[in-house]
Amino acid sequence: MYDMTRLRAARERTGPYVTRTPLIRSSTLSKETGCNIFIKAELFQKTGSFKVRGMFNSLLTMSAADRARGLICFSAGNAAQALAYAAGIMGARAVVTMPEAASLTKIAATKGYGGEVILDGKTTAETYERCMAEVAAQGLVFVPSYDDVGLMEGHASLGLEILEDVPDVSAVFCGIGGGGLIGGLSMALRAAGSSARIFGVEPEVASCATQALRAGHPVHVVNGRTLADGLAPPIVGKQTLPIIAREVEEVILVSEEQIADAIRFLLTRCKLLAEGAGASPLAALRSRKWGFGEKDNVVLCVCGGNIDPARLAAVLS
């Protein structure tokens, strides 16, 4: 169903531009849960999140003529940084629309990578509308931030790395925003023949995948303000949803306090500074008893570390 040849080609294509991030065993979490807990430290990735994996694959498989027109995406911040970074390396113009309430850290980083930032929209849906307006007005090429097969094939390299480090992985916890990362992760695991259980994670106040699964199709949602802003798109992807429905065993909803607790734990016990989206898999793991045994190897995808200092200070206070 998933083509390993394409996934390996995407990994080879993007390899010179992305970091092979470490997989770290947490003795504290392993003792707490009674199994082997590993952290895929994707917060050490270029730009501080997994997004560059897929973004580079998208840009590298795009025609030179399209790249020359200029590129645009809409994003709460991590895809914005990834597009700006990748486009800068490839000599292309990058424009991003971001919500008015976007993280100041992510805005500054996007500009620092050379991206042109347009702040517009009180919701991500409004930000998306502005993005499409700029596509029409400027003739820019829209680059999806999650709902694209090529993007997911780029993200699949994260799953291939996990399998190299823990071939007998039992379960993986991964945040769901629009579904691009968990889609690519699922592709990699299943193409390699892994039967590992896959768990998705969403904030309670931004549950577009959960609502889409209930409805049987993507639905627009109005999200509340969340620490996990990277997991709060207005709608799950049309191409990612079938993969989520087919491969993800359960989508766990986590509260803002559970996310905050996970951020604090990762910082104080693991010395990892994760943003809310990156800490959410840990929040899900600690939300209940899972019944994993001592031989089970469980991986948490800590997918981003771009947390605003003011937000971090509030979490730690």
Side-chain angles (χ1 to χ4, degrees), residues 40 42 56 60 64 72 93 101 124 172 193 196 243 251 261-262 267 291 302:
K40 179 58 172 172
E42 190 65 7
F56 269 112
L60 288 165
I72 189 170
R93 179 188 177 203
T124 46
V172 182
I243 299 175
V251 179
D261 273 343
L267 180 59
V302 179

Side-chain angles (χ1 to χ4, degrees), residues 7 10-11 14 18 53 152-162 184 188:
L7 303 187
R11 185 181 186 187
T14 59
V18 302
R53 293 179 184 268
M152 286 188 279
E153 290 175 342
H155 294 329
S157 60
L158 181 143
L160 297 178
E161 290 174 14
I162 289 173

Side-chain angles (χ1 to χ4, degrees), residues 86-164:
I89 286 179
M90 303 192 70
R93 179 188 177 203
V95 180
V96 296
T97 60
M98 301 175 70
E100 294 169 5
S103 159
L104 296 178
T105 297
K106 293 179 180 180
I107 294 169
T110 302
K111 291 180 177 178
Y113 292 129
E116 302 171 31
V117 176
I118 299 172
L119 291 176
D120 191 14
K122 297 188 183 303
T123 68
T124 46
E126 292 176 356
T127 303
Y128 171 77
E129 291 175 4
R130 177 61 186 273
C131 179
M132 293 298 101
E134 294 299 324
V135 168
Q138 299 192 52
L140 300 168
V141 174
F142 174 65
V143 182
S145 56
Y146 55 85
D147 195 22
D148 179 77
V149 172
L151 196 81
M152 286 188 279
E153 290 175 342
H155 294 329
S157 60
L158 181 143
L160 297 178
E161 290 174 14
I162 289 173
L163 289 170
E164 288 172 354

Side-chain angles (χ1 to χ4, degrees), residues 182-197:
I182 203 166
L185 171 71
S186 299
M187 285 180 172
L189 294 179
R190 300 304 182 236
S194 172
S195 59
R197 302 165 72 185

Side-chain angles (χ1 to χ4, degrees), residues 1-238:
M1 184 178 295
Y2 307 117
D3 190 338
M4 180 60 85
T5 299
R6 288 181 61 89
L7 303 187
R8 287 175 175 154
R11 185 181 186 187
E12 182 176 355
R13 185 182 301 121
T14 59
Y17 304 99
V18 302
T19 298
R20 192 192 190 288
T21 53
L23 195 75
I24 304 166
R25 185 180 184 276
S26 170
S27 57
T28 301
L29 288 172
S30 297
K31 183 177 180 180
E32 180 181 302
T33 59
C35 63
N36 298 305
I37 300 294
F38 297 89
I39 294 171
K40 179 58 172 172
E42 190 65 7
L43 73 174
F44 294 140
Q45 186 54 259
K46 303 287 188 183
T47 76
S49 92
F50 72 94
K51 290 285 189 178
V52 293
R53 293 179 184 268
M55 199 62 76
F56 269 112
N57 197 48
S58 292
L59 269 58
L60 288 165
T61 54
M62 185 183 296
S63 71
D66 278 346
R67 286 197 300 270
R69 288 169 55 192
L71 312 171
I72 189 170
C73 74
F74 80 101
S75 168
N78 285 339
Q81 293 174 76
L83 178 62
Y85 177 76
I89 286 179
M90 303 192 70
R93 179 188 177 203
V95 180
V96 296
T97 60
M98 301 175 70
E100 294 169 5
S103 159
L104 296 178
T105 297
K106 293 179 180 180
I107 294 169
T110 302
K111 291 180 177 178
Y113 292 129
E116 302 171 31
V117 176
I118 299 172
L119 291 176
D120 191 14
K122 297 188 183 303
T123 68
T124 46
E126 292 176 356
T127 303
Y128 171 77
E129 291 175 4
R130 177 61 186 273
C131 179
M132 293 298 101
E134 294 299 324
V135 168
Q138 299 192 52
L140 300 168
V141 174
F142 174 65
V143 182
S145 56
Y146 55 85
D147 195 22
D148 179 77
V149 172
L151 196 81
M152 286 188 279
E153 290 175 342
H155 294 329
S157 60
L158 181 143
L160 297 178
E161 290 174 14
I162 289 173
L163 289 170
E164 288 172 354
D165 291 338
V166 189
D168 54 347
V169 60
S170 308
V172 182
F173 288 74
C174 180
I176 300 179
L181 178 58
I182 203 166
L185 171 71
S186 299
M187 285 180 172
L189 294 179
R190 300 304 182 236
S194 172
S195 59
R197 302 165 72 185
I198 303 172
F199 296 98
V201 187
E202 289 189 306
E204 289 177 346
V205 298
S207 57
C208 66
T210 297
Q211 295 186 51
L213 289 169
R214 289 172 182 165
H217 56 83
V219 293
H220 282 273
V221 298
V222 178
N223 296 316
R225 186 165 175 79
T226 175
L227 285 167
D229 58 329
L231 303 182
I235 188 170
V236 75
K238 291 181 180 179

